[in-house]
Amino acid sequence: MKRFYFFFLTVLIALQMTAQSLQRVAPEQVGIDSHRLKYADEAIEKAIADKTIPGAVLAVVRNGKMAYIKAYGNKRVFPNTEPMTVNTIFDMASCSKAMSTAICTHILIERGKLRLLDPVSLYIPGFKDWSSEDGKEKKVIRIADLLTHTSGLPPYAPVKDLEEKYGSPNPDGLIEYIAGCKRDFKPQTDFQYSCLNYITLQHIIEKISGRSLREFARENIFNVLGMDHTDYLPCKRNEAGHWINTTSAYWASPNSIPGNGSAITEKNSKKRHLKKDTNERIDKSVADDWHSLIAPTEKQTDGSVLCGQVHDPLARIMNGGVSGNAGVFSCAEDIAILCAALQNDGEWNGHRILSPLAVKAMRTVPRATATLGRTLGWDNFSPYASNNGDYFSPDTYGHTGYTGTSIVIDPMNNTSVILLTNAVHPEDKHSVVRLRSLVANAVAASIVGNEKLTIYTDHYYKRILQFQDEPAINSQDIIMLGNSLTENGGDWATRFGKKNVRNRGISGDIVMGVYDRLNLILLGHPEKLFLLIGINDVSHNLSTDSIAKMITTTVERIQRESPETKLYLQSLLPINESFGRYKALTGKTEMVPAINKKLEVIAREHHINFINLFPLFTEKGKSILRTELTGDGLHLNEDGYKIWVKELKKEL
């Protein structure tokens, strides 16, 4: 019985630990204006057009929910082209410092293994503190100094010289260099961003925990939160001099090794097999080619392209891919979970990585270095913090990565902005500093409320998200656009016997609801578009003139933004008040033919096709929907759809 209970408990824990994505919502459902977010799209698309970046992924997290996620451009442009996807995995570069090394450091502090005031020399024998040139003044370099980049350590190290001296990889040789190299200034008197600070922290984390940084971060951060596509990827040069990975990524297979060649534990093994079976985010095909999800970075002198091998030279050459300053690979969805956890005082989905006070400390600039702008792991207002933009609150903190990655977290507005690019692909010759600020500003400006913006129904936004997840509309597509009459038609492609027919109906939609979502359609410049909208506007007590005017505005936008699309304006269908189902339509029967007369004029004046469906559904000599074609006086049954399809087939 005890064995069964233990097995059951193990399975239950494993299932609980299975990754769960953030709830995805439309921007308006968390107080963000999606129309204003378009300016972020435009900034990114301009950077792609200017060839500053090959592509990008933008994610916006608000109130613990994924308010926006979108892929742009390509993830690879050399030697072939591959489109960017929202699940693309990026070399996070220096974002690794904040995402992993800093959090690991605070975990050890929480557990009583480490103090911010501890001297670095306590953990690294021979580590040299600062002293004046005449030797009369000395000052200890402490853990807090490493976290805030106020230690005085040089920004970087001479990689080529170190490789010649120690060989590659050689983490011990690198830490030996750091321990004895020249200190540039007295600790806490200045700020100097230094990769050596976080490589030193890595060494301390590994010494205290007895685990590699890869293992410790996996066990205490990534696994806990279910960040299944986040990992350090060990690498080395092969005999031909090409960079290769020495172990598979965590997401590649349930049998992949999570840390430096050591065998995975039985608990982790069971958990990972369960993940494989239960989590759709793990693609079976990835096991054979796990690099396929990764955005490549820089082309090498031998013609190869780094893809899964960290771009940073110190991390790659001296630390073999697992490094305190760089080396984490991750995707927008995983980073969004981490941001949500930090916004929720260190806990997400019932799993905690840090205490609330640790999170607060990590995002706060210490008093000792209050004018320098760096927190205990992140950036608040140093010269490197321009990715925060101009509008987010003064409490905003974040980090950037050299490859083009950026994380911005505003605790006051409960909003995070994740912008991932591989700007160093295929060549390292562009800067994304300005782009990050432009995107942050556009996102911040789109926040127009703390609660849901009740512009449309929850179903409306649910359908919008469904549309966004479908393949983009193209110039061969035929669009059925409207309200519940269209949505309830289901698979219009099957009805017409044509694969390229797309259902873009939303139950309860109104004319301006269609207008507001036209951008999801017109960017693809579809071949044909059949529009039927207006009956819900009738139920909202709008006049025939106002409804006709809004439909005119919609027609003109379609013609303006996609002139090659052949537009068909369909008449409203009749209603039958005798069912008594829709009180808001009481007394509105004769409004329908009046609106249809105006629609016919609109079609004639705008030189578009008008399809008069109305007489096909009415009782003889009346304006009433035939009872045999409906079950509620408004919506059609299958016999009604057959009539509609037969009429539209004449235009196909």
Side-chain angles (χ1 to χ4, degrees), residues 139-199:
K139 185 156 185 173
V140 173
I141 298 175
R142 304 182 186 277
I143 300 300
D145 303 329
L146 301 178
L147 286 166
T148 56
H149 295 282
T150 59
S151 68
L153 287 177
Y156 213 65
V159 179
K160 185 177 180 180
D161 294 344
L162 293 179
E163 184 179 15
E164 290 178 357
K165 180 177 180 179
Y166 296 108
S168 171
N170 196 323
D172 291 338
L174 176 57
I175 202 67
E176 179 181 297
Y177 168 82
I178 295 173
C181 67
K182 181 182 181 297
R183 278 50 177 149
D184 290 340
F185 55 81
K186 182 179 179 180
Q188 299 183 5
T189 63
D190 201 356
F191 159 75
Q192 180 170 261
Y193 185 81
S194 170
C195 287
L196 307 190
N197 286 318
Y198 277 73
I199 292 172

Side-chain angles (χ1 to χ4, degrees), residues 279-293:
N279 188 354
E280 293 180 356
R281 294 202 314 163
I282 298 179
D283 187 342
K284 293 180 180 180
S285 66
V286 173
D288 297 325
D289 183 16
W290 58 268
H291 289 84
S292 62
L293 291 176

Side-chain angles (χ1 to χ4, degrees), residues 10 13-14 264-272:
T10 301
I13 292 173
I264 59 176
T265 64
E266 181 181 359
K267 177 181 176 181
N268 279 344
S269 178
K270 289 178 180 178
K271 176 166 73 76
R272 297 184 67 163

